[in-house]
Amino acid sequence: MVTEQEIEKAAEILRKGGLVAFPTETVYGLGADASNQAAVRKIFAAKGRPPDHPVIVHVAGTSDLKHWAAQVPNSAWVLAERFWPGPLTMVLKRAAHVSDLVTGGQDTVGLRVPSHPVAQQLLKAFGAGIAAPSANRFGRLSPTTAQHVRQELGDAVDRVLDGGPCEVGIESTIVDLTRETPAILRPGRISAQQIADALLAPLGESAGGRPRVPGSLESHYSPSLPLKIVQSEDTDNYLVAHSGTPIAVLSRRGRPVNSKAALWQVAPEMPDDYARLLYATLRCLDESGCRMIVVEALPALPEWIAVHDRLGRAATPDPIALPSAAPR
Ligand code: TXA
Ligand code: MG
């Protein structure tokens, strides 16, 4: 898939302060040398991301924790042992040398050891921390293929390593370990229950942990088209009431006979499979020529929390303003 020469070349680009997009098991990241401020600045420029948003530092292994964090609580070692390499980011007190650009000016740093073999090879070849947010334009859907990255960022990235489609498909679980009680800041494939079980302790409230800017973070992960979440028993009525609008429906059931949907996309039944395909599917629906996306509501069960979180942010607040011209 990715040759050793390509990895070496990518590590060289990082050493020279360039940007390399690379696959992780969650989504593709837009990487820069985390210790090079000019390089990290390029990430913000390429994404169009506000400068006060912190970025996760990716490291090759657990032994790197002490380099990036001032304090490593026992809970961090326990979670690292249990879930790394893997889709978990830990927020810890930062070490003094970590730049404000990486931390968003906070006294904490987000750290993660990704498990994707290409990410691992790149981290080992580079030999230091790689700052990497998801490789999308700010506020848009995270990329889960190399092609999505090229669509999103074009020439703003010096190299894209193609490691195939991402296995998890949504961003890592983020756990804040800087308070007395650990708390989930972003749900993901690794559940709150799994983390609580590993720590042998209940988790705290997640509110107020990560920076939340109204109208930006809340409206993250959005397709271009308006997106509405509708209970499946209301879909037919919704389509009839909006019969002048070509609507793409994302549902876990087959297309009902006589449905008024312009496009009916069947999504997987189970949460992990649904999450894996979610962003790629929303991208397709966005480009389908329809003017609106209706997603059928999912069960209110713990195993769907991470998907609920992403769909909730992708959904358009009422009232929905339909685009006046048909989109690309
Ligand atoms: O799965 C992932 O985490 C992907 C891949 C590339 O690793 N990365 C990712 O990064 O999703 P990004 O920047 O798109 O989202 C990172 C989130 C942001 O919401 C940011 O606010 C939060 O992590 N974050 C990073 N450092 C933090 C810190 N020190 N304290 C609180 N939140 C932090
Ligand atoms: Mg992101």
Side-chain angles (χ1 to χ4, degrees):
M1 237 169 359
V2 178
T3 63
E4 229 166 90
Q5 287 89 325
E6 283 177 87
I7 297 281
E8 258 321 311
K9 181 73 202 148
E12 192 52 37
I13 291 169
L14 291 175
R15 272 177 219 118
K16 291 194 170 132
L19 296 183
V20 173
F22 61 98
T24 81
E25 66 280 21
T26 57
V27 300
Y28 274 72
L30 178 61
D33 178 352
S35 304
N36 177 338
Q37 300 216 25
V40 176
R41 246 181 228 111
K42 287 186 195 167
I43 294 179
F44 288 83
K47 281 185 62 99
R49 180 178 177 146
D52 57 344
H53 283 227
V55 288
I56 296 169
V57 177
H58 297 68
V59 294
T62 303
S63 56
D64 297 307
L65 270 178
K66 279 186 280 191
H67 176 71
W68 293 96
Q71 297 158 21
V72 185
N74 190 45
S75 54
W77 296 117
V78 170
L79 294 182
E81 171 69 26
R82 173 76 183 77
F83 297 112
W84 277 356
L88 179 71
T89 297
M90 297 192 218
V91 171
L92 299 173
K93 292 281 178 204
R94 71 157 167 191
H97 65 85
V98 187
S99 108
D100 277 343
L101 271 176
V102 165
T103 66
Q106 306 177 85
D107 62 353
T108 59
V109 61
L111 296 170
R112 168 158 126 78
V113 178
S115 65
H116 194 293
V118 173
Q120 277 288 330
Q121 285 166 40
L122 180 65
L123 283 161
K124 285 185 181 127
F126 180 55
I130 302 179
S134 50
N136 50 281
R137 305 271 314 157
F138 180 67
R140 306 261 307 129
L141 299 166
S142 295
T144 55
T145 68
Q147 195 201 342
H148 296 163
V149 177
R150 293 191 196 100
Q151 277 172 6
E152 286 283 325
L153 298 175
D155 293 341
V157 50
D158 297 305
R159 175 76 49 135
V160 181
L161 295 175
D162 187 346
C166 299
E167 199 264 318
V168 176
I170 54 170
E171 304 80 358
S172 60
T173 306
I174 304 182
V175 60
D176 181 359
L177 298 177
T178 63
R179 291 142 202 268
E180 212 163 298
T181 323
I184 303 289
L185 303 184
R186 178 173 72 186
R189 165 75 76 88
I190 296 175
S191 69
Q193 190 60 51
Q194 282 175 287
I195 291 174
D197 288 349
L199 295 176
L200 302 172
L203 302 183
E205 281 296 309
S206 63
R210 89 200 227 224
R212 282 177 178 274
V213 185
S216 61
L217 278 186
E218 257 98 49
S219 66
H220 238 62
Y221 316 118
S222 302
S224 312
L225 290 180
L227 183 151
K228 179 88 185 160
I229 299 168
V230 171
Q231 297 298 326
S232 54
E233 59 271 25
D234 298 334
T235 303
D236 278 352
N237 287 342
Y238 193 90
L239 293 171
V240 169
H242 296 80
S243 57
T245 306
I247 294 181
V249 177
L250 182 62
S251 167
R252 291 190 301 153
R253 58 195 175 116
R255 182 186 180 108
V257 187
N258 298 331
S259 169
K260 297 273 184 292
L263 193 162
W264 188 277
Q265 176 68 46
V266 178
E269 185 70 24
M270 303 302 285
D272 287 353
D273 301 327
Y274 192 105
R276 176 180 308 122
L277 298 180
L278 178 63
Y279 288 147
T281 305
L282 290 178
R283 264 173 206 276
C284 274
L285 299 184
D286 225 6
E287 290 160 7
S288 65
C290 291
R291 286 182 57 201
M292 186 177 170
I293 299 170
V294 162
V295 178
E296 285 192 338
L298 296 160
L301 294 170
E303 57 267 35
W304 288 97
I305 281 178
V307 172
H308 281 301
D309 172 75
R310 303 315 190 274
L311 283 176
R313 289 166 200 279
T316 314
D318 286 326
I320 287 180
L322 291 172
S324 48
R328 320 148 276 133

